[in-house]
Amino acid sequence: MTVRKQRRNPLHIALCAAILAGVSWAAAASPAPPLQPSRLAVWPEGAGSPAFELVDTEGVPRTLRDYRGHIVVIFFGFLHCPDACPAGLFKLALVMKQLGQVAAQVQVLFITLDPERDTPPSLKSYVSAFDPQFIGLTGTSAQIDQAAGGFNVQYARVPVGNDYTIDHSTGIFIFDGGGRLRLIGAAHSPVADFVDGIAALAAERPEASR
């Protein structure tokens, strides 16, 4: 049995406090345009933005830079997840529908926490069932650990009989067109909150992506 769990650090504490309290931070000197009041948590500018080096379901190496110019929404999970993952992806599919034409500016990325079982073909089939534009990302166990650690995603493999499941945190991370992490949603955040937050980022997109 292998258990992987990211260590808590100040960024993780800040993230959890934001999601639980629903607060917004304002940076003292932020290069990003000021965001209108949001019901999602606003990422503190001084914390910097996480990144990843993974591969998509076609085997193409991917980093956040590949999606520059889009509003990027990142969600971590696994295909055998019984509830939180399908619920989260279903919610994001509803968000995309409600965004209307703005949805063309948005890219949802689902990063698997279970690369051993989630093969690229099954990952592609799974995420595209929610929305054809959703992209699944995978990698080696070390790459997944590094990506999850950068986002302060907590996860651990838990044995269930002869099999296992994965306990994990369920934050949803939203980057602006310039590749900066700006907003964080929680599993209980309403669809309308994501729609409002993403639409606000899309409205500032030309300036933010310079």
Side-chain angles (χ1 to χ4, degrees):
M1 179 187 72
T2 301
V3 176
R4 303 185 187 94
K5 188 171 183 179
Q6 306 302 329
R7 292 183 297 175
R8 296 177 185 273
N9 59 36
L11 297 190
H12 171 72
I13 295 172
L15 185 153
C16 290
I19 293 177
L20 293 176
V23 301
S24 296
W25 288 289
S30 170
L35 193 66
Q36 295 299 314
S38 174
R39 287 169 287 186
L40 301 179
V42 177
W43 185 251
E45 185 68 27
S49 294
F52 59 80
E53 293 183 2
L54 300 169
V55 295
D56 64 19
T57 55
E58 306 302 322
V60 178
R62 295 295 184 184
T63 70
L64 194 59
R65 291 186 298 274
D66 293 312
Y67 306 102
R68 186 67 62 91
H70 286 79
I71 308 301
V72 177
V73 182
I74 295 179
F75 183 45
F76 288 79
F78 66 111
L79 304 195
H80 291 78
C81 180
D83 41 38
C85 301
L89 288 171
F90 180 72
K91 178 179 291 187
L92 292 176
L94 291 177
V95 169
M96 294 291 277
K97 289 180 180 179
Q98 294 191 22
L99 282 170
Q101 294 183 344
V102 174
Q105 303 176 30
V106 181
Q107 181 60 66
V108 174
L109 304 176
F110 180 78
I111 299 177
T112 179
L113 294 171
D114 191 11
E116 295 179 21
R117 292 188 299 189
D118 296 350
T119 64
S122 61
L123 183 59
K124 180 178 181 179
S125 177
Y126 183 81
V127 299
S128 63
F130 292 94
D131 188 298
Q133 300 305 312
F134 287 5
I135 293 177
L137 296 177
T138 185
T140 65
S141 295
Q143 288 175 315
I144 297 298
D145 281 346
Q146 185 173 18
F151 284 81
N152 298 292
V153 169
Q154 305 292 304
Y155 75 105
R157 197 158 86 168
V158 180
V160 179
N162 295 324
D163 203 356
Y164 66 89
T165 187
I166 294 178
D167 287 346
H168 63 94
S169 51
T170 56
I172 298 175
F173 307 88
I174 305 174
F175 290 74
D176 64 20
R180 292 179 291 263
L181 178 57
R182 300 290 297 281
L183 298 170
I184 306 168
H188 61 268
S189 299
V191 168
D193 290 3
F194 285 103
V195 173
D196 291 346
I198 291 172
L201 292 179
E204 69 179 35
R205 178 170 167 267
E207 180 179 353
S209 58
R210 290 177 185 172

